[in-house]
Amino acid sequence: MLVKKGMTILGIYSFSFSHMLNLFIAIFTNIYLFLGMFCYGISVLLWMIVLSRVPVSVAYPFSSVGFIITMIFSSFLLNEMITFNKVMGIGFICLGVYLIFSTH
């Protein structure tokens, strides 16, 4: 969410050297991008802790819960629409996670 908000402020970028240099600088000057990248770093550390304790066949499917949280927060914070298809997709994700956890 933070990275999206930061990139909305900056605008569209392409994969050219000048854009990448500007984007790198923007990470340290745009609070949304800075906090977003910081959160990504924390999430990698937490993921490493989870993987040290839980089988990847259980941990990875559970990470799809992030899709549900992202859809809800993007609706409130970024005014993105929650459509019927998105709700159905989330329903299938929930069903899949339930089926995986019901076998353990």
Side-chain angles (χ1 to χ4, degrees):
M1 296 301 199
L2 292 167
V3 173
K4 173 62 176 170
K5 179 74 171 175
M7 290 309 297
T8 300
I9 292 169
L10 291 180
I12 297 173
Y13 271 73
S14 64
F15 285 104
S16 68
F17 178 75
S18 62
H19 279 137
M20 291 298 114
L21 182 59
N22 289 339
L23 186 57
F24 183 76
I25 293 168
I27 290 171
F28 297 101
T29 59
N30 181 307
I31 189 67
Y32 295 109
L33 287 178
F34 181 79
L35 289 175
M37 297 306 289
F38 178 77
C39 288
Y40 271 126
I42 296 297
S43 72
V44 168
L45 294 175
L46 292 174
W47 186 240
M48 291 167 62
I49 292 168
V50 167
L51 290 178
S52 74
R53 299 168 188 225
V54 179
V56 73
S57 63
V58 174
Y60 201 75
F62 190 72
S63 70
S64 65
V65 172
F67 292 123
I68 301 166
I69 295 167
T70 300
M71 184 181 71
I72 292 168
F73 277 101
S74 68
S75 173
F76 290 111
L77 300 176
L78 302 172
N79 297 319
E80 294 184 4
M81 298 295 298
I82 297 178
T83 63
F84 176 76
N85 286 347
K86 289 178 183 178
V87 172
M88 290 299 294
I90 293 298
F92 285 122
I93 289 171
C94 291
L95 177 62
V97 170
Y98 170 76
L99 291 173
I100 288 170
F101 281 108
S102 67
T103 61
H104 282 88

